[in-house]
Amino acid sequence: MSKKDNFSQAMFEMFGLGKAPDENEEAAIQEEMAQLENFVPAEPVAPLPEEPAVNEPSFAEPPAFTEPEVPSFVPPASFEQPPVFDPIPEPVAPAPAPAPAPVPAPVPQAKHAYVHRENCTYFAPGTSMEGTLRSDSDVEIVGDFKGEIASDGKVTIHSNTQSSIAAAELVLVDCVLIGDAMVSGDVSINESSSVSGNIRAANIVCSGIVKGNLNVQGNITLTENAQVIGDIKTGTLAMSRGAKVSGKIDMGGSAI
């Protein structure tokens, strides 16, 4: 569509003049142009009343800011001087626990408590004697003795002794005997005792060590801890497993 067609269309729509352009009718366009030239506008249309103005809020200028007067601070009388606090006491270390009372040392007891027996000669611990001792009663030695002992009774030795002994019976308990012994009766040697010397007796029960010859008319009993280093002559011999003998064994049944 041409510019004229556009214009004609606009006039027709706005003022009702002319008619809608027809592309095939050129004459119609010319007619519309003539009508437009002879067009007398009608009375002007009164302008539309103005809309009342809307009162916009007015903003007054804010007053100038003035800093408020701050009153000077006057501390109360109680704060004229800072309070004084007592210093925090330092922690006190707890008192050490009292040391336990010392335990008294045990009073040493005599290794072999003496039991008083009538007709017995007793050498207490701390007693020392050297020489010859003869007695027709029993003899018990716990102190030190060196020399010869001859007794018609039983001789019991609890300490290391260097002596030759002749007695009716001999008992060795936790001791060392250096010397020969001739006994008409029995001899007993416990496992903590040892003898360095020859022994002649009726019977012997040995659990310790003997370094010497044994001559016995009756029986010799050697327990599992017994050791004999020397020759043995006896009527009978009983040995436990573990007993040791280093020497000749003669069981002829008569004393040497």
Side-chain angles (χ1 to χ4, degrees):
M1 183 182 289
S2 64
K3 293 181 179 181
K4 291 181 179 181
D5 297 337
N6 292 335
F7 180 77
S8 178
Q9 178 72 23
M11 292 297 294
F12 179 82
E13 293 178 356
M14 293 178 60
F15 302 103
L17 300 177
K19 59 180 179 179
D22 187 2
E23 294 180 357
N24 298 326
E25 296 179 359
E26 186 67 24
I29 297 174
Q30 295 295 334
E31 184 180 354
E32 292 177 0
M33 292 296 296
Q35 291 178 2
L36 180 63
E37 291 177 358
N38 297 324
F39 173 74
V40 177
E43 293 181 1
V45 180
L48 297 174
E50 295 182 358
E51 296 180 359
V54 179
N55 295 329
E56 296 182 358
S58 60
F59 297 94
E61 183 178 356
F65 176 77
T66 57
E67 295 183 359
E69 183 179 356
V70 180
S72 59
F73 175 74
V74 179
S78 59
F79 289 95
E80 291 180 357
Q81 292 183 353
V84 179
F85 298 97
D86 294 334
I88 300 175
E90 297 182 356
V92 180
V103 178
V107 178
Q109 301 292 331
K111 189 174 182 180
H112 304 284
Y114 172 67
V115 179
H116 175 71
R117 292 178 297 168
E118 295 183 357
N119 300 324
C120 178
T121 302
Y122 177 74
F123 283 82
T127 303
S128 178
M129 179 178 178
E130 183 175 353
T132 301
L133 173 61
R134 297 181 182 276
S135 176
D136 56 0
S137 61
D138 296 342
V139 175
E140 185 171 2
I141 298 176
V142 183
D144 296 330
F145 183 84
K146 183 178 180 180
E148 296 181 1
I149 299 175
S151 173
D152 295 335
K154 178 174 70 175
V155 175
T156 303
I157 298 178
H158 298 280
S159 61
N160 299 340
T161 303
Q162 184 175 350
S163 174
S164 59
I165 300 174
E169 185 177 351
L170 177 61
V171 178
L172 303 180
V173 181
D174 303 336
C175 68
V176 176
L177 172 63
I178 301 176
D180 298 335
M182 182 176 293
V183 181
S184 58
D186 298 335
V187 174
S188 175
I189 304 171
N190 78 339
E191 61 182 6
S192 300
S193 298
S194 65
V195 178
S196 294
N198 302 321
I199 301 176
R200 180 189 294 264
N203 299 287
I204 295 178
V205 177
C206 178
S207 298
I209 300 173
V210 177
K211 297 180 181 179
N213 299 326
L214 300 182
N215 191 339
V216 177
Q217 294 180 350
N219 178 67
I220 295 178
T221 301
L222 302 179
T223 65
E224 58 184 4
N225 296 320
Q227 296 185 41
V228 177
I229 303 173
D231 297 338
I232 295 177
K233 186 171 181 63
T234 181
T236 58
L237 176 64
M239 293 180 60
S240 299
R241 176 177 297 181
K244 298 178 182 179
V245 176
S246 177
K248 296 185 298 182
I249 299 177
D250 184 359
M251 300 176 64
S254 60
I256 298 175

